[in-house]
Amino acid sequence: MIETKLGDFEEVILLIVGILGEQAYALNIADEFEAQTKRAVSIGAVHSTLTRLADKGFLESKMGEASAERGGRRKRIYEITAAGQRALENSRDFKVSLWNQFPAFADKLNFSF
């Protein structure tokens, strides 16, 4: 089995970081996760996953500007690294390969990247 180095939850969080771009901060990531999956997630689970992804070298973060809506506090903005991009590509390619080999769907799908 190919080692993607991403768990399912990690993969979704990493994808959401990419989708949100400059708006990828923890609370917004949690809200987007719930909107996309229709499942609740704790902010603690999002924070620990973001930390784990950063430890793996898949994310970087920087502090954004302070805003009045947050009482002058700054947001930590996350961004996918080149290693994170490769991890997502590897995970996608592995899953597409499996889907294309699954006889019940192989002739109905046309995944190619």
Side-chain angles (χ1 to χ4, degrees), residues 1-105:
M1 181 171 176
I2 295 172
E3 175 60 59
T4 63
K5 299 181 183 176
L6 285 174
D8 287 342
F9 185 68
E10 291 176 332
E11 183 177 1
V12 172
I13 294 297
L14 199 55
L15 285 166
I16 288 172
V17 168
I19 290 167
L20 292 173
E22 288 291 318
Q23 296 301 311
Y25 54 91
L27 185 59
N28 213 19
I29 292 167
D31 289 345
E32 186 66 19
F33 178 89
E34 291 184 12
Q36 293 277 350
T37 67
K38 312 295 186 234
R39 295 181 2 218
V41 64
S42 73
I43 192 69
V46 171
H47 274 293
S48 63
T49 302
L50 291 169
T51 299
R52 193 169 50 253
L53 289 168
D55 290 345
K56 290 180 177 183
F58 297 159
L59 286 178
E60 295 175 334
S61 66
K62 63 183 178 192
M63 294 306 293
E65 297 297 319
S67 66
E69 70 183 17
R70 293 178 43 87
R73 294 182 314 184
R74 298 166 56 189
K75 300 172 188 167
R76 180 169 296 280
I77 308 296
Y78 291 89
E79 182 178 9
I80 298 175
T81 63
Q85 182 85 24
R86 280 192 305 276
L88 283 172
E89 290 169 354
N90 289 339
S91 179
R92 178 202 61 205
D93 292 347
F94 176 66
K95 290 176 181 173
V96 166
S97 173
L98 290 175
W99 278 100
N100 284 332
Q101 295 174 60
F102 187 60
F105 300 114

